[in-house]
Coordinates of all heavy atoms in Angstrom, one line a residue:
K1 N -11.5 2.5 -11.4 CA -10.1 2.6 -11.0 C -9.8 1.5 -10.0 O -8.6 1.0 -10.0 CB -9.8 4.0 -10.4 CG -9.9 5.1 -11.5 CD -9.5 6.5 -10.9 CE -9.4 7.5 -12.0 NZ -9.1 8.9 -11.5
A2 N -10.7 1.2 -9.1 CA -10.4 0.1 -8.1 C -10.2 -1.2 -8.8 O -9.4 -2.0 -8.4 CB -11.6 0.0 -7.1
L3 N -11.0 -1.4 -9.9 CA -10.9 -2.7 -10.7 C -9.5 -2.7 -11.3 O -8.8 -3.8 -11.3 CB -12.0 -2.8 -11.7 CG -12.1 -4.1 -12.5 CD1 -12.2 -5.2 -11.5 CD2 -13.2 -4.0 -13.5
W4 N -9.0 -1.6 -11.9 CA -7.7 -1.6 -12.5 C -6.6 -1.7 -11.4 O -5.6 -2.3 -11.7 CB -7.5 -0.3 -13.3 CG -8.1 -0.4 -14.6 CD1 -9.2 0.4 -15.1 CD2 -7.8 -1.2 -15.7 NE1 -9.5 0.0 -16.4 CE2 -8.6 -1.0 -16.8 CE3 -6.8 -2.2 -15.8 CZ2 -8.6 -1.7 -18.0 CZ3 -6.7 -2.9 -17.1 CH2 -7.6 -2.6 -18.1
F5 N -6.8 -1.1 -10.3 CA -5.9 -1.3 -9.2 C -5.7 -2.8 -8.8 O -4.6 -3.2 -8.5 CB -6.3 -0.5 -7.9 CG -5.4 -0.6 -6.8 CD1 -4.2 0.0 -6.7 CD2 -5.8 -1.3 -5.6 CE1 -3.3 -0.1 -5.6 CE2 -5.0 -1.5 -4.5 CZ -3.7 -0.9 -4.6
A6 N -6.8 -3.5 -8.9 CA -6.8 -4.9 -8.5 C -6.3 -5.8 -9.7 O -5.7 -6.9 -9.4 CB -8.2 -5.4 -8.1
R7 N -6.4 -5.3 -10.9 CA -6.2 -6.2 -12.1 C -5.0 -5.7 -13.0 O -4.6 -6.5 -13.8 CB -7.4 -6.3 -12.9 CG -8.6 -6.9 -12.2 CD -9.8 -6.9 -13.1 NE -9.7 -7.6 -14.4 CZ -10.5 -7.5 -15.4 NH1 -11.5 -6.7 -15.4 NH2 -10.3 -8.3 -16.5
G8 N -4.6 -4.5 -12.8 CA -3.6 -3.9 -13.7 C -2.4 -4.8 -13.9 O -1.7 -5.2 -12.9
R9 N -2.0 -5.2 -15.1 CA -1.0 -6.1 -15.4 C 0.3 -5.5 -16.0 O 1.4 -6.1 -15.9 CB -1.5 -7.3 -16.2 CG -2.6 -8.1 -15.6 CD -3.1 -9.2 -16.5 NE -4.2 -9.9 -16.0 CZ -4.8 -10.9 -16.6 NH1 -4.5 -11.2 -17.8 NH2 -5.8 -11.5 -16.0
Y10 N 0.1 -4.5 -16.8 CA 1.2 -3.9 -17.6 C 2.4 -3.6 -16.7 O 2.3 -2.8 -15.8 CB 0.7 -2.7 -18.4 CG 1.8 -2.2 -19.3 CD1 1.9 -2.7 -20.6 CD2 2.7 -1.2 -18.9 CE1 2.8 -2.2 -21.5 CE2 3.6 -0.7 -19.8 CZ 3.7 -1.2 -21.1 OH 4.7 -0.8 -22.0
G11 N 3.5 -4.2 -17.0 CA 4.7 -3.9 -16.2 C 4.7 -4.5 -14.8 O 5.6 -4.2 -14.0
A12 N 3.8 -5.4 -14.5 CA 3.7 -6.0 -13.2 C 3.5 -7.5 -13.4 O 3.0 -8.0 -14.4 CB 2.5 -5.4 -12.4
D13 N 3.8 -8.2 -12.3 CA 3.5 -9.7 -12.4 C 2.3 -10.0 -11.6 O 1.7 -9.2 -10.9 CB 4.8 -10.5 -11.8 CG 5.1 -10.0 -10.4 OD1 4.2 -9.7 -9.6 OD2 6.3 -10.1 -10.1
D14 N 1.9 -11.3 -11.6 CA 0.7 -11.8 -11.0 C 0.8 -11.6 -9.4 O -0.2 -11.3 -8.8 CB 0.5 -13.3 -11.2 CG -0.1 -13.5 -12.6 OD1 -0.6 -12.5 -13.2 OD2 0.0 -14.6 -13.1
F15 N 2.0 -11.6 -8.9 CA 2.1 -11.6 -7.5 C 1.9 -10.1 -6.9 O 1.4 -9.9 -5.9 CB 3.5 -12.1 -7.0 CG 3.8 -13.4 -7.7 CD1 4.8 -13.6 -8.6 CD2 3.0 -14.5 -7.3 CE1 5.0 -14.8 -9.2 CE2 3.2 -15.8 -7.9 CZ 4.2 -15.9 -8.9
Q16 N 2.3 -9.2 -7.7 CA 2.0 -7.8 -7.4 C 0.5 -7.5 -7.4 O -0.1 -6.8 -6.6 CB 2.7 -6.8 -8.3 CG 4.2 -6.8 -8.1 CD 4.9 -6.1 -9.2 OE1 4.8 -6.4 -10.4 NE2 5.7 -5.0 -8.8
R17 N -0.2 -8.1 -8.4 CA -1.6 -8.0 -8.5 C -2.3 -8.7 -7.3 O -3.3 -8.1 -6.8 CB -2.1 -8.7 -9.8 CG -1.7 -8.0 -11.1 CD -2.1 -8.8 -12.3 NE -3.5 -9.0 -12.4 CZ -4.1 -10.2 -12.3 NH1 -3.4 -11.3 -12.2 NH2 -5.4 -10.3 -12.4
M18 N -1.8 -9.8 -6.9 CA -2.3 -10.5 -5.7 C -2.2 -9.6 -4.5 O -3.1 -9.5 -3.6 CB -1.6 -11.8 -5.5 CG -2.0 -12.9 -6.6 SD -0.8 -14.3 -6.6 CE -1.1 -14.9 -4.9
D19 N -1.0 -8.9 -4.4 CA -0.8 -8.0 -3.2 C -1.9 -6.9 -3.2 O -2.5 -6.6 -2.2 CB 0.5 -7.4 -3.3 CG 1.6 -8.4 -2.9 OD1 1.4 -9.3 -2.2 OD2 2.8 -8.2 -3.4
R20 N -2.1 -6.3 -4.4 CA -3.1 -5.3 -4.5 C -4.5 -5.8 -4.3 O -5.3 -5.1 -3.7 CB -3.0 -4.6 -5.9 CG -1.7 -4.0 -6.2 CD -1.8 -3.0 -7.4 NE -2.2 -3.6 -8.6 CZ -1.4 -4.1 -9.5 NH1 -0.1 -4.1 -9.4 NH2 -1.9 -4.6 -10.6
Q21 N -4.8 -7.0 -4.7 CA -6.1 -7.5 -4.5 C -6.5 -7.7 -3.0 O -7.6 -7.4 -2.6 CB -6.3 -8.9 -5.3 CG -6.4 -8.7 -6.8 CD -6.2 -10.0 -7.5 OE1 -6.0 -11.1 -6.9 NE2 -6.2 -9.9 -8.9
R22 N -5.5 -8.2 -2.3 CA -5.8 -8.3 -0.8 C -6.0 -7.0 -0.2 O -6.7 -6.8 0.8 CB -4.8 -9.1 -0.1 CG -3.4 -8.5 -0.1 CD -2.4 -9.3 0.8 NE -1.1 -8.9 0.6 CZ -0.1 -9.3 1.3 NH1 -0.3 -10.1 2.3 NH2 1.2 -8.9 1.1
C23 N -5.3 -5.9 -0.7 CA -5.5 -4.6 -0.1 C -6.9 -4.1 -0.5 O -7.5 -3.4 0.3 CB -4.5 -3.6 -0.7 SG -2.8 -4.0 -0.1
V24 N -7.4 -4.4 -1.6 CA -8.8 -4.1 -2.0 C -9.8 -4.8 -1.1 O -10.7 -4.1 -0.6 CB -9.1 -4.4 -3.5 CG1 -10.6 -4.3 -3.8 CG2 -8.3 -3.5 -4.4
V25 N -9.6 -6.1 -0.8 CA -10.4 -6.8 0.1 C -10.4 -6.2 1.5 O -11.5 -6.0 2.1 CB -10.0 -8.3 0.1 CG1 -10.8 -9.0 1.2 CG2 -10.3 -9.0 -1.2
D26 N -9.2 -5.8 1.9 CA -9.1 -5.2 3.3 C -9.8 -3.9 3.3 O -10.5 -3.5 4.3 CB -7.6 -5.1 3.7 CG -7.4 -4.6 5.1 OD1 -7.8 -5.2 6.0 OD2 -6.9 -3.4 5.2
A27 N -9.7 -3.1 2.2 CA -10.3 -1.8 2.2 C -11.8 -1.9 2.2 O -12.5 -1.1 2.9 CB -9.9 -1.0 0.9
I28 N -12.4 -2.9 1.5 CA -13.8 -3.1 1.6 C -14.3 -3.5 3.0 O -15.3 -3.0 3.5 CB -14.2 -4.2 0.6 CG1 -14.0 -3.7 -0.9 CG2 -15.7 -4.6 0.7 CD1 -14.2 -4.8 -1.9
I29 N -13.5 -4.4 3.6 CA -13.9 -4.8 5.0 C -13.9 -3.6 5.9 O -14.8 -3.4 6.8 CB -12.9 -5.9 5.5 CG1 -13.0 -7.2 4.7 CG2 -13.1 -6.1 7.0 CD1 -12.0 -8.2 5.1
Q30 N -12.9 -2.8 5.8 CA -12.7 -1.6 6.7 C -13.7 -0.5 6.5 O -14.2 0.2 7.4 CB -11.3 -1.1 6.7 CG -10.2 -2.1 7.1 CD -10.4 -2.6 8.5 OE1 -10.8 -1.8 9.4 NE2 -10.1 -3.9 8.7
Q31 N -14.1 -0.3 5.2 CA -14.9 0.8 4.8 C -16.4 0.5 4.7 O -17.2 1.4 4.5 CB -14.4 1.4 3.5 CG -13.0 2.0 3.7 CD -12.3 2.4 2.4 OE1 -12.9 3.0 1.6 NE2 -11.1 2.0 2.2
A32 N -16.8 -0.8 4.7 CA -18.2 -1.1 4.6 C -18.8 -1.1 6.0 O -19.3 -2.1 6.5 CB -18.3 -2.5 4.0
N33 N -18.8 0.1 6.6 CA -19.4 0.3 7.9 C -20.9 0.4 7.8 O -21.4 0.7 6.7 CB -18.8 1.5 8.6 CG -18.9 2.8 7.8 OD1 -20.0 3.3 7.7 ND2 -17.8 3.2 7.2
P34 N -21.6 0.2 8.9 CA -23.1 0.3 8.9 C -23.6 1.6 8.3 O -24.6 1.6 7.5 CB -23.5 0.1 10.3 CG -22.4 -0.7 10.9 CD -21.1 -0.2 10.2
A35 N -23.0 2.7 8.7 CA -23.5 4.0 8.2 C -23.4 4.1 6.7 O -24.3 4.6 6.0 CB -22.8 5.2 8.9
N36 N -22.2 3.7 6.2 CA -22.0 3.7 4.7 C -22.9 2.8 4.0 O -23.5 3.2 2.9 CB -20.5 3.4 4.5 CG -20.1 3.7 3.0 OD1 -20.7 4.5 2.3 ND2 -19.1 3.0 2.6
V37 N -23.1 1.6 4.5 CA -24.0 0.6 3.8 C -25.4 1.1 3.8 O -26.1 1.0 2.8 CB -23.8 -0.7 4.5 CG1 -24.9 -1.7 4.0 CG2 -22.4 -1.3 4.3
L38 N -25.9 1.6 5.0 CA -27.3 2.1 5.0 C -27.6 3.2 4.1 O -28.7 3.2 3.4 CB -27.6 2.5 6.5 CG -27.8 1.4 7.5 CD1 -28.0 1.9 8.9 CD2 -29.0 0.5 7.1
T39 N -26.7 4.2 3.9 CA -27.0 5.3 3.1 C -26.9 4.9 1.6 O -27.5 5.6 0.7 CB -26.0 6.4 3.3 OG1 -24.6 5.9 3.2 CG2 -26.1 7.0 4.7
R40 N -26.3 3.8 1.3 CA -26.1 3.4 -0.1 C -26.7 2.0 -0.4 O -26.3 1.3 -1.3 CB -24.7 3.4 -0.6 CG -24.0 4.8 -0.3 CD -22.5 4.7 -0.6 NE -21.8 6.0 -0.4 CZ -21.7 6.9 -1.3 NH1 -22.2 6.7 -2.5 NH2 -21.1 8.0 -1.0

């Protein structure tokens, strides 16, 4: 679902996809904390 959130095109333009992609990048930065990374 995260991949579709970043890539979904139907009814959307490239710029909306770019907006979503940077939100995915930001979510990874914020959520890849040491505890989460160590356990997985």
Side-chain angles (χ1 to χ4, degrees):
K1 290 184 177 180
L3 186 59
W4 280 114
F5 179 71
R7 298 173 63 192
R9 297 179 183 176
Y10 185 88
D13 57 33
D14 282 342
F15 310 112
Q16 290 170 301
R17 292 172 61 243
M18 290 165 61
D19 287 333
R20 297 196 301 266
Q21 286 167 3
R22 64 172 169 170
C23 292
V24 170
V25 172
D26 184 64
I28 293 174
I29 292 174
Q30 298 301 322
Q31 296 170 45
N33 56 72
N36 191 23
V37 171
L38 283 175
T39 55
R40 304 173 181 271

